[in-house]
Structure formats: structure tokens, C-alpha cells
Amino acid sequence: YQTYSPYWFAIKIPGAQLKGNLLAYIIKIPFLYLTQPKLEPFVNSSQWYNSWVLPAGESTIFIFYLPQYLEFFGFLLILLVIVSLLIKPAKNSFFAIKKRLSKKKGVSD
């Protein structure tokens, strides 16, 4: 069981937007959060769980935990920093080798 947290969100998704695979939705959820209507949380006296009032009729609801997406963003940021730290020395080495080769070619001519 999960305890109550204000960072659990529920979003109602229209049926017309349900085309695609699950991975695409996992990536789209933060953007859907900004554009789609959010379900109002149901307030109860115990406050030990999250609950929402569901709309009448058939609908698709995405429930997600915002800190999880912030964690994914942090992992992506770490990966980008590591890649940029590896690319810069490789780029400098490439240009240094190219410069040495052009000097040798100029000397031998």
C-alpha cells in the first residue's frame, strides 16, 4: 500500500488520444499533465491513502507519481553530463591528431 502523498496525480485521457503504445504514453504523461483535465482528489478524514472522484461513464485514467518522473529526468541529466565529458576530450584528441598529421604532411612535401 502507498501512503498519502500530494504528488500522486490522476489524469483523464480522451479516447481519441489512446492510439499508440505504452512507452509513448510513459513519455507523454508529463505533457498530458499540463494539457488534460486532472481529477479532483477525494478528501477523507484519515488521509492515509490517495483517492479521486471518477467521472461518470467510461473513461481512461492515468495515475502517476510525479517524483518518479523527476528521478527519470535526473538520470537523463547525469547521462548527458557523462556523454559531454567523454566527447570533449575525444574531440580535442581528434583535432590534435589531425593537426599533427597536417604538419607531417607539410614537412614531407
Side-chain angles (χ1 to χ4, degrees), residues 14-31:
Q17 291 187 358
L18 291 177
K19 297 192 177 14
N21 61 15
L22 182 62
L23 182 60
Y25 281 111
I26 291 172
I27 294 169
K28 285 183 188 179
I29 283 178
F31 303 107

Side-chain angles (χ1 to χ4, degrees), residues 49-86:
Y49 60 90
N50 289 74
S51 59
W52 295 271
V53 177
L54 297 178
E58 192 174 322
S59 59
T60 302
I61 309 293
F62 280 120
I63 299 174
F64 69 98
Y65 190 55
L66 184 61
Q68 187 72 44
Y69 279 89
L70 296 176
E71 177 186 11
F72 293 154
F73 179 72
F75 288 149
L76 180 64
L77 190 62
I78 289 170
L79 181 66
L80 290 174
V81 167
I82 290 171
V83 167
S84 68
L85 290 174
L86 293 174

Side-chain angles (χ1 to χ4, degrees), residues 2-9 41-42 44 47-52 63 65:
Q2 296 285 331
T3 59
Y4 176 79
S5 172
Y7 302 110
W8 281 102
F9 295 101
F42 177 74
N44 63 6
Q47 291 291 316
W48 64 272
Y49 60 90
N50 289 74
S51 59
W52 295 271
I63 299 174
Y65 190 55

